[in-house]
Amino acid sequence: MQMGWRWDFTFEILPQMAIATLNTILAAGVGYAIALIVGLFFLLGQKTPFKIVNWINREIVEFIRSTPLLIQLFFVYFVLPQFGITLSAWVCGMITIGLHFGTYLSEVYRGALEGVPKSQWEACRALNFSTIYTYRRIVLPQAFPIAIPGMGNYLVGIFKDTPLLSTIGVAELFHAATAVGGYNYRYLEPYTLVGIIFLTLSIPAAMWVRKLENDVNKAQGKIKK
Amino acid sequence: MTYFEFLNEHGVTLLLGTVTTIKVLVCSMILYVIISMIFGLMRLSKNRAIQGIATVYIEFFRGTSLLVQLFWAYYVLPFFGISLEAFTAGVVALGLNFGAYGAEIVRAGILAVPKGQWEAAHALNFTPAKRIKRIIIPQIFPIILPPAANLTVELLKATALVALVTVVDLTFEAKQINSITWLSAQCFGTALLIYYIIARFALVPFLRWLEVLAARKVGKERI
């Protein structure tokens, strides 16, 4: 077996890796969309006036946040069929990522809502606005910019956690690399390519999030420039 | 098969896996704390080259997936004549990955120490080493410990990944038992519970205790 980097092999597997990259991006996008919505539900559970719902909600969030995503994936993938629910690896992966990161996003939402000064609420009360109107026109427009950096960070976070999906057989980038590597018994190029592809996608994304964060801080007058 | 019978038969195996998980956690924790200290300080160096090395390291390890780094350390490094044992490869990859995140926390912590403290230490004619050791470091701990605690819980969760490079930890054992018995709910459920118990009743209280200790050291009776 030839040691060292082989360019011909690299170019041979490149098209396959490129297609798998699209799958990774798709998985990250769909997972993120689900997480955004799930986060809203967890937020709702936190905000309801029923103490028992708050408590249950908090325990669930705490549990999901302190257990590994990998085992959660296995749990959903292997346990649901025992109850007669057979879902494809893709669906299982998306559900699990959505649930896992939904708990994180609910914290982002909560932080953003708490970032809106209380006086805004009091002013709306004084103006006799309804709660819904207050949320829609006063609170949410102010909370949203605060939430953007956190939301962006978790988009990058989900993207970097998609390789875990390969463990249940979702055909994303890492899965393709392992398959190609196993077939040719060369892991150097596939795994290195995966690393490079991740770098070229996530560094610009992270820079963009950082820029957003700066813009938001500037707009709020936290940084003078 | 009831749950008790399951525990009776496989409980010991799972516990042995848990011991390995804790070993991985402790080793990689020590490694990542050391790495984040070093690279956090390097990020703040006035020397462009040192700063550049630290930036490249941090961006590289934060930009790629932990799983990719783990597989790289285990399957690709042998190509270069460096064969690491699975446990070592796992700990090194975890330490390097989390060290990159930790370095940013350390950097932010150092920057958060008020400038007046540096100036006062200067005015009192402390040597640079003494300035860092006696004035700055005791003050950064209360600042960096809360985010570092979050990161350490993330580290505990990330240790599950070492199972994929054949380290026989809790996740590995759970997978193994699952493939023999197909009692998925029991074995993965138990594994989830064990991780939860470690996080909630051991790791987090320990980190809180450190936070209180650090706050007390600088005279802040917080928390």
Side-chain angles (χ1 to χ4, degrees), chain A residues 84-100:
Chain A
I85 310 167
T86 313
L87 300 171
S88 75
W90 264 96
V91 179
C92 283
M94 296 297 91
I95 290 173
T96 317
I97 282 191
L99 268 179
H100 190 86

Side-chain angles (χ1 to χ4, degrees), chain B residues 11-201:
Chain B
V12 179
T13 323
L14 285 172
L15 273 184
L16 285 177
T18 310
V19 172
T20 311
T21 290
I22 291 171
K23 269 190 209 157
V24 173
L25 175 68
V26 171
C27 291
S28 48
M29 213 160 111
I30 293 168
L31 187 63
Y32 110 77
V33 168
I34 294 170
I35 289 176
S36 27
M37 286 283 172
I38 294 171
F39 282 91
L41 282 171
M42 280 171 71
R43 262 312 287 269
L44 292 170
S45 163
K46 287 204 179 72
N47 186 327
R48 273 294 167 102
I50 293 179
Q51 206 191 345
I53 293 171
T55 309
V56 168
Y57 162 75
I58 290 170
E59 289 300 325
F60 178 79
F61 279 95
R62 280 165 47 121
T64 51
S65 226
L66 173 61
L67 191 60
V68 180
Q69 291 157 17
L70 209 55
F71 271 63
W72 218 85
Y74 190 62
Y75 290 108
V76 177
L77 278 187
F79 272 98
F80 301 110
I82 307 166
S83 289
L84 296 178
E85 233 179 288
F87 184 87
T88 320
V91 167
V92 167
L94 283 171
L96 285 173
N97 184 282
F98 280 79
Y101 288 92
E104 287 290 280
I105 293 176
V106 170
R107 185 184 71 100
I110 294 175
L111 289 178
V113 174
K115 225 177 172 187
Q117 298 288 329
W118 289 90
E119 289 163 0
H122 239 292
L124 290 169
N125 205 19
F126 282 11
T127 60
K130 209 174 175 187
R131 228 183 294 156
I132 296 269
K133 202 179 128 213
R134 288 303 179 99
I135 309 296
I136 306 305
I137 289 190
Q139 293 193 64
I140 64 170
F141 276 118
I143 305 171
I144 64 174
L145 275 176
N150 275 341
L151 192 62
T152 310
V153 175
E154 291 297 316
L155 175 66
L156 168 67
K157 287 157 60 184
T159 57
L161 297 194
V162 297
L164 301 175
V165 290
T166 69
V167 176
V168 188
D169 75 334
L170 178 54
T171 309
F172 190 92
E173 296 287 18
K175 247 178 95 178
Q176 204 79 334
I177 296 168
N178 178 53
S179 62
I180 301 167
T181 61
W182 287 105
L183 295 166
S184 309
Q186 284 89 328
C187 58
F188 291 128
T190 313
L192 282 175
L193 263 180
I194 293 176
Y195 277 106
Y196 180 66
I197 288 167
I198 296 175
R200 186 89 188 256
F201 300 107

Side-chain angles (χ1 to χ4, degrees), chain A residues 126-153:
Chain A
L127 290 168
N128 205 16
F129 289 171
S130 70
T131 311
I132 293 173
Y133 189 82
T134 308
Y135 264 116
R136 197 160 62 86
R137 299 304 296 267
I138 312 292
V139 175
L140 289 185
Q142 292 184 75
F144 190 60
I146 309 176
I148 285 180
M151 287 163 73
N153 274 334

Side-chain angles (χ1 to χ4, degrees), chain A residues 2 4-13 186 189 193:
Chain A
Q2 193 188 339
W5 187 272
R6 267 178 52 194
W7 282 109
D8 56 328
F9 182 59
T10 310
F11 286 114
E12 198 185 302
I13 63 174
R186 276 189 77 81
E189 289 88 356
L193 266 182

